């Protein structure tokens, strides 16, 4: 069988050093896969059993090592904001005047921020986009409103003055 991984001293030392500085579990296991093969000469089945992988995965990793070399270990993390309108720095610049106004005790509305966002990007965005933007930058609603906007203050005051039915003061005549 052709050996895809050469177990020479410089390769083993490079892999051992890289193993110490691995930043993720995926990268660590990939380096282990190559290091075990280079130092012990273990078969793909043995390596798979040690790492909890399938034999096919080990074969793929060894093949990729032969083609790509150490680029195999540069694992790109999943996720991210692939469809963003503004970068994080641009968002911070957009929010800067609103932050200054809020720190001075001013009241902010999402509609104002949404308007500024739309002017900056040149696109219409939903209000939820602005709420997510504010959440990303650590903003939250601190003060609940004191009363419902449609509340009838006079009706509430009148209700407080009438005693409930069935109490000695609120007995119905008769």
């Amino acid at each position: 069988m052709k050996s895809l991984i050469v177990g020479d001293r410089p390769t083993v030392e490079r892999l051992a050093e890289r193993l110490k500085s691995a930043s993720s579990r995926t990268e660590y296991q990939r380096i282990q896969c190559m290091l075990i093969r280079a130092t012990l000469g273990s078969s793909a089945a043995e390596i798979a059993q040690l790492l909890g992988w399938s034999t096919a995965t080990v074969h793929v990793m060894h093949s990729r090592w032969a083609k790509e070399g150490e680029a195999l270990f540069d694992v790109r993390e999943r996720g991210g904001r692939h469809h963003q309108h503004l970068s994080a720095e641009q968002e911070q610049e957009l929010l800067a005047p609103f932050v200054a106004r809020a720190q001075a005790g001013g009241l902010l509305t999402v509609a104002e921020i949404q308007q500024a966002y739309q002017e900056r990007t040149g696109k219409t965005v939903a209000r939820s986009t602005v709420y997510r933007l504010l959440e990303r930058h650590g903003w939250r609603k601190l003060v609940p409103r004191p009363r419902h906007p449609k509340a009838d203050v006079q009706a509430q005051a009148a209700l407080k003055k009438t005693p409930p039915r069935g109490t000695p003061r609120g007995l119905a005549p008769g």
Side-chain angles (χ1 to χ4, degrees):
M1 177 174 87
K2 179 180 140 189
S3 178
L4 298 174
I5 301 169
V6 180
D8 61 344
R9 188 174 199 77
T11 303
V12 171
E13 287 175 0
R14 267 196 339 266
L15 288 171
E17 281 303 311
R18 184 116 191 204
L19 188 68
K20 292 177 186 174
S21 64
S23 60
S24 69
R25 179 177 181 246
T26 307
E27 182 183 358
Y28 191 84
Q29 283 186 324
R30 287 181 181 191
I31 297 168
Q32 276 185 323
C33 181
M34 301 309 136
L35 194 57
I36 292 169
R37 180 66 177 261
T39 55
L40 304 175
S42 300
S43 69
E46 293 169 338
I47 296 171
Q49 188 175 13
L50 285 170
L51 297 177
W53 289 358
S54 69
T55 308
T57 304
V58 175
H59 284 298
V60 168
M61 288 298 136
H62 288 168
S63 175
R64 283 185 62 192
W65 168 263
K67 292 176 190 170
E68 302 172 23
E70 289 195 29
L72 164 71
F73 305 132
D74 298 330
V75 181
R76 201 181 84 195
E77 296 297 323
R78 296 175 135 186
R81 294 178 56 210
H82 301 292
H83 304 288
Q84 63 187 3
H85 294 291
L86 300 172
S87 69
E89 294 81 26
Q90 291 171 326
E91 286 179 351
Q92 209 155 11
E93 288 174 18
L94 175 78
L95 290 176
F98 297 106
V99 170
R101 200 164 84 193
Q103 287 176 342
L107 184 66
L108 301 177
T109 63
V110 173
E112 293 173 335
I113 299 171
Q114 182 180 12
Q115 183 66 34
Y117 191 91
Q118 289 174 351
E119 288 173 6
R120 177 82 181 259
T121 61
K123 298 178 181 180
T124 355
V125 294
R127 190 159 284 176
S128 61
T129 303
V130 179
Y131 279 112
R132 286 195 316 271
L133 162 84
L134 293 172
E135 184 180 353
R136 268 195 304 276
H137 291 274
W139 287 45
R140 57 195 171 94
K141 188 173 181 180
L142 293 176
V143 182
R145 59 184 180 212
R147 62 181 179 83
H148 194 277
K150 295 181 181 177
D152 186 0
V153 179
Q154 292 171 344
Q156 288 177 346
L159 183 66
K160 290 179 186 175
K161 293 180 182 177
T162 57
R165 294 181 134 250
T167 60
R169 290 187 192 167
L171 289 176

